[in-house]
Amino acid sequence: MRQPFSVVNYLGQLGYFAGQPPATLERIAETAIPKPTEAGETLFLEGDPCVGLWMIEYGRVKIYKLNPQGQEHILRILGDNETFNEIGALDGGANPANAATLSDSMLWVLPTQTFRELILKDNAFAARVIQMLARRVRGLVSQIEDLTLYSVTVRVARLLLKQVDDPALSGTGVTRAALAAHLATTPQTISTALRELETTGAIRFDRHHIQIVDEALLRSIAML
Amino acid sequence: MSDTQWLPRIDADLCNGCGLCITECPTEALGWKDEKAALVHSDKCIYCNACEDVCPVYAIELPYLVLRVNKATQEKP
Ligand code: SF4
Ligand code: SF4
């Protein structure tokens, strides 16, 4: 049987509210607005002002974007005990994406106002919010690094294909430093990209040879 | 093209003599020459890239030749 849901207990488990005395949690919980919803209901639309932090007591929620053709692209699917729209709740800005339920759900909204007041009144809470945001930023930075590596891998694949068709380009041989200079990155990133290409089986290192073993694959990695 | 072309190149002007590459080389192909790192046993070099990876000042470069390997399954003429 499902345990009876307690907003107070739930809040206590969230990173932000850790260490809050029960009386404070009680007061915060009182501001939470219950939102029982049916499957397929739209919770909010991208661009609308954010009403607060959403909490899922039970149910399934999809966070999605629509492309200009109206096609749906699901970013995340969330389930029991998860939260969403923290950032909007903190800055009261616009929702960055759309949200709708996939099943009958019991949701709660902790209003933006509650967050605002807590941040102003409670230094420890504000510090935890900063920590949470810092962690997010770190996550984003590593995502950007992944994307950068991705684009370097694509460009290294292109360069290799170009080199092999034009031996004059090779001259005294390609070095990682030369590739790095050419692609405005570091030799370490080139090494990682070359290793990635080797792992896919598109190229192979044999002493001073970079052998293109699967040209079709290398071409597809190069997006050619 | 001579065969010596396909060996690690060490730029003695850049080398600061830290010795990391010599320690890192698995085959003892690298050694000292006038307080700089040098490829003293080129026949031992297995082209593993360890020296290039470890050099803090990018004084070492390994040149590569890019080529196709002809697979029997390759469809192109
Ligand atoms: S490539 Fe490897 S074996 Fe050759 S000199 Fe450098 S570390 Fe030694
Ligand atoms: S690692 Fe680089 S700087 Fe250090 S000794 Fe070797 S070549 Fe010189």
Side-chain angles (χ1 to χ4, degrees):
Chain A
M1 219 186 76
R2 195 185 291 281
Q3 293 289 315
F5 184 75
S6 147
V7 178
V8 175
N9 288 347
Y10 182 84
L11 290 177
Q13 287 162 19
L14 294 180
Y16 309 104
F17 302 110
Q20 291 280 2
T24 315
L25 279 182
E26 202 84 51
R27 267 204 310 281
I28 299 168
E30 273 167 20
T31 69
I33 306 158
K35 299 262 186 193
T37 47
E38 288 177 11
E41 269 186 53
T42 301
L43 302 172
F44 54 74
L45 294 174
E46 181 176 351
D48 286 354
C50 177
V51 292
L53 170 74
W54 289 74
M55 304 179 283
I56 307 172
E57 179 182 339
Y58 63 84
R60 287 279 173 280
V61 170
K62 65 175 175 185
I63 310 293
Y64 62 102
K65 290 244 184 199
L66 295 175
N67 73 9
Q69 287 77 43
Q71 264 172 337
E72 188 179 295
H73 177 61
I74 295 182
L75 302 174
R76 288 199 294 167
I77 293 193
L78 301 163
D80 299 6
N81 293 322
E82 294 192 276
T83 57
F84 55 101
N85 240 22
E86 282 101 333
I87 305 289
L90 289 171
D91 71 358
N95 295 314
N98 309 286
T101 47
L102 292 168
S103 66
D104 293 350
S105 306
M106 183 59 211
L107 308 171
W108 296 79
V109 173
L110 199 59
T112 305
Q113 192 58 29
T114 305
F115 269 98
R116 290 258 179 86
E117 282 166 13
L118 274 170
I119 289 172
L120 290 175
K121 274 194 289 205
D122 182 343
N123 288 342
F125 177 78
R128 272 192 299 274
V129 168
I130 290 171
Q131 246 174 31
M132 187 280 291
L133 289 175
R135 211 173 300 143
R136 285 266 170 127
V137 172
R138 257 181 233 283
L140 289 175
V141 168
S142 75
Q143 267 181 31
I144 290 171
E145 279 166 2
D146 285 353
L147 287 173
T148 311
L149 173 62
Y150 174 71
S151 78
V152 169
T153 308
V154 169
R155 290 185 294 156
V156 168
R158 286 187 185 181
L159 266 184
L160 293 180
L161 286 163
K162 211 160 143 192
Q163 297 269 1
V164 79
D165 284 329
D166 186 356
L169 271 179
S170 286
T172 52
V174 286
T175 63
R176 288 187 282 181
L179 289 174
H182 199 84
L183 299 179
T185 179
T186 61
Q188 284 80 2
T189 310
I190 297 292
S191 292
T192 313
L194 285 170
R195 265 199 304 278
E196 292 236 319
L197 290 175
E198 192 181 20
T199 311
T200 64
I203 64 167
R204 190 166 61 205
F205 283 89
D206 181 18
R207 235 190 124 79
H208 65 269
H209 291 158
I210 296 177
Q211 301 175 336
I212 298 180
V213 269
D214 189 338
E215 190 165 346
L217 179 60
L218 192 59
R219 280 193 173 279
S220 79
I221 293 170
M223 303 201 285
L224 293 173
Chain B
M1 286 182 200
S2 75
D3 257 5
T4 57
Q5 183 189 337
W6 305 109
L7 287 171
R9 300 175 194 149
I10 304 175
D11 186 331
D13 289 337
L14 288 177
C15 173
N16 65 16
C18 72
L20 282 175
C21 57
I22 299 175
T23 319
E24 211 61 30
C25 174
T27 63
E28 296 179 349
L30 297 174
W32 294 107
K33 196 175 157 193
D34 301 332
E35 297 180 3
K36 306 276 185 171
L39 190 65
V40 290
H41 296 293
S42 58
D43 53 315
K44 287 188 180 170
C45 174
I46 54 167
Y47 233 73
C48 70
N49 239 313
C51 51
E52 182 178 2
D53 284 340
V54 82
C55 178
V57 296
Y58 306 121
I60 306 184
E61 277 188 353
L62 273 69
Y64 285 93
L65 185 66
V66 187
L67 41 80
R68 283 191 181 84
V69 278
N70 285 320
K71 285 193 302 178
T73 50
Q74 217 155 358
E75 282 163 72
K76 282 189 186 160

